[in-house]
């Protein structure tokens, strides 16, 4: 592993939730002045959208909050990601089960639900907004913004 703290966000398609997390968390890293310390990436457990830009609704929702994710391109989770990243943060329990299957086989960094870092009550899952309306994308952003702040605080504490 590099001396940087490497963070990987994982969802199903890598076109809605995890690229949103990558963009929001990268902005939080920049705002905290921690760019030289933290590297961010995202991927999906599925392969359907590999090479594609984020969903246009995710791009628009992020843009409304001043974050550009249009340059991101989907890739699929690979077994060696388990040894390349210090944090592997998944959006829902299905993602967790899928990545844990590989983790049980290969070891490496244990995947965790990203919302463990959020200061929100209720479910620890970021709901899949793909088949819903625009409101779902706003909710995704709210949850991810909260968890991003929590993750920044955690990494900062560990560095101190
Ligand atoms: P994501 O959303 O996992 O947040 O990127 C989805 C994107 C595509 C599909 C499902 C969820 N799909 O079924 O194609």
């Amino acid at each position: 592993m590099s001396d940087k703290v490497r963070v990987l966000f994982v969802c199903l398609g890598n076109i809605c939730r995890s690229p949103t997390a990558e963009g929001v968390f990268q902005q939080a890293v920049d705002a905290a002045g921690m760019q030289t310390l933290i590297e961010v990436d995202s991927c999906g457990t599925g392969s359907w959208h590999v090479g594609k830009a984020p969903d246009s609704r995710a791009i628009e929702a992020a843009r409304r909050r001043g974050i550009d994710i249009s340059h991101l391109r989907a890739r699929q989770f690979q077994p060696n990601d388990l040894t390349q990243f210090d944090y592997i943060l998944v959006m829902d329990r299905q993602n967790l089960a899928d990545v844990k299957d590989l983790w049980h086989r290969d070891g490496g960094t244990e995947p965790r639900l990203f919302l463990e870092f959020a200061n929100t009550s209720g479910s620890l899952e970021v709901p899949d907004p793909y088949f819903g309306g625009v409101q779902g994308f706003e909710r995704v952003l709210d949850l991810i913004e909260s968890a991003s702040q929590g993750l920044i605080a955690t990494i900062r504490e560990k560095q101190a």
Side-chain angles (χ1 to χ4, degrees):
M1 269 184 221
S2 71
D3 49 353
K4 283 194 168 187
V5 178
R6 305 194 75 210
V7 178
L8 180 66
F9 296 108
V10 186
C11 63
L12 176 60
N14 194 210
I15 57 168
C16 296
R17 292 165 293 175
S18 62
T20 298
E22 181 176 347
V24 167
F25 185 64
Q26 182 66 60
Q27 195 200 49
V29 167
D30 294 348
M34 297 169 84
Q35 306 92 315
T36 57
L37 178 66
I38 301 175
E39 257 178 45
V40 193
D41 195 7
S42 68
C43 65
T45 57
S47 62
W48 312 282
H49 302 285
V50 167
K52 288 200 198 141
D55 187 286
S56 58
R57 298 165 296 173
I59 292 175
E60 279 311 309
R63 200 191 310 275
R64 284 195 293 274
R65 299 194 191 195
I67 298 167
D68 180 15
I69 60 168
S70 63
H71 57 285
L72 300 178
R73 294 295 178 267
R75 75 167 177 92
Q76 189 173 21
F77 183 85
Q78 306 172 343
N80 79 347
D81 287 325
L82 290 165
T83 57
Q84 297 302 310
F85 289 89
D86 304 288
Y87 291 86
I88 297 178
L89 301 173
V90 305
M91 299 298 140
D92 64 31
R93 289 195 166 80
Q94 184 61 55
N95 309 147
L96 190 63
D98 290 340
V99 178
K100 272 204 170 168
D101 278 349
L102 292 166
W103 175 73
H104 283 304
R105 190 189 71 186
D106 295 348
T109 296
E110 182 173 2
R112 298 171 65 179
L113 289 163
F114 184 30
L115 291 194
E116 283 181 26
F117 293 93
N119 183 23
T120 51
S121 57
S123 167
L124 290 179
E125 298 188 288
V126 181
D128 185 348
Y130 187 65
F131 294 106
V134 89
Q135 207 45 44
F137 287 83
E138 294 299 326
R139 177 87 180 128
V140 164
L141 278 159
D142 291 342
L143 294 169
I144 283 173
E145 282 180 352
S146 175
S148 292
Q149 292 308 317
L151 181 57
I152 288 278
T154 297
I155 293 173
R156 208 200 288 274
E157 273 167 29
K158 288 203 171 166
Q159 298 300 313

